[in-house]
Amino acid sequence: MMKAEKHTDEIRMIFFDIDGTLIDMNTKVISPRTVEALCLLQKEGVRIAICRGRSPMQIPKFEGVEFDALLSFNGSYATDRDGQVICSSPLDPDDVETILANTQAIGRPLRWRQPKKLWPTAPTRI
């Protein structure tokens, strides 16, 4: 069993990436020791969160640990452990129209994401 050093009383929340931080890049799994460490942090009163650039749909669940918050879309969309939205800062619709027009003008695909939906290419209108 791991022991926590008493520095956790100063730490309120820790944010983790997934690939190469929580999961091994080769095995693609979270180790039991990592799960134990995360649970120990929570036991010491530290909140733990995942922060990732991808959509919420692409954040895996880890058996044995429940995160206090999930930040996705590079931090522009955050939910608590129950899925309640904490903050949402989507792109301005005019900016989306500009991005869509620019990608279409140069013939490039655009992956379009929303919190619960993912399109392989962008719709023609938002």
Side-chain angles (χ1 to χ4, degrees):
M1 180 75 168
M2 300 176 83
K3 289 177 75 176
E5 294 187 29
K6 275 311 204 181
H7 302 290
T8 55
D9 58 339
E10 300 169 12
I11 300 171
R12 300 288 179 241
M13 187 170 220
I14 300 175
F15 297 83
F16 296 94
D17 185 32
I18 296 175
D19 300 321
T21 303
L22 292 179
I23 65 171
D24 181 275
M25 291 297 287
N26 296 321
T27 64
K28 302 293 184 196
V29 296
I30 190 168
S31 75
R33 186 172 178 184
T34 301
V35 170
E36 183 181 358
L38 293 169
C39 291
L40 183 58
L41 285 169
Q42 286 181 313
K43 184 179 176 187
E44 293 292 323
V46 177
R47 292 183 180 177
I48 58 173
I50 289 179
C51 189
R52 193 166 203 206
R54 299 180 188 188
S55 77
M57 297 181 311
Q58 296 172 297
I59 296 177
K61 302 278 186 215
F62 296 110
E63 190 173 329
V65 65
E66 188 174 351
F67 288 86
D68 296 296
L70 304 173
L71 285 73
S72 54
F73 297 132
N74 293 313
S76 66
Y77 186 78
T79 60
D80 66 13
R81 68 173 44 205
D82 298 320
Q84 296 298 311
V85 176
I86 297 169
C87 74
S88 178
S89 182
L91 292 172
D92 182 275
D94 290 338
D95 292 338
V96 174
E97 291 289 346
T98 300
I99 292 167
L100 181 58
N102 289 341
T103 57
Q104 289 174 338
I106 62 173
R108 301 293 300 196
L110 175 66
R111 189 179 329 187
W112 187 266
R113 300 179 194 178
Q114 288 183 330
K116 296 185 183 200
K117 197 166 187 176
L118 175 67
W119 292 278
T121 57
T124 55
R125 301 273 312 154
I126 58 170

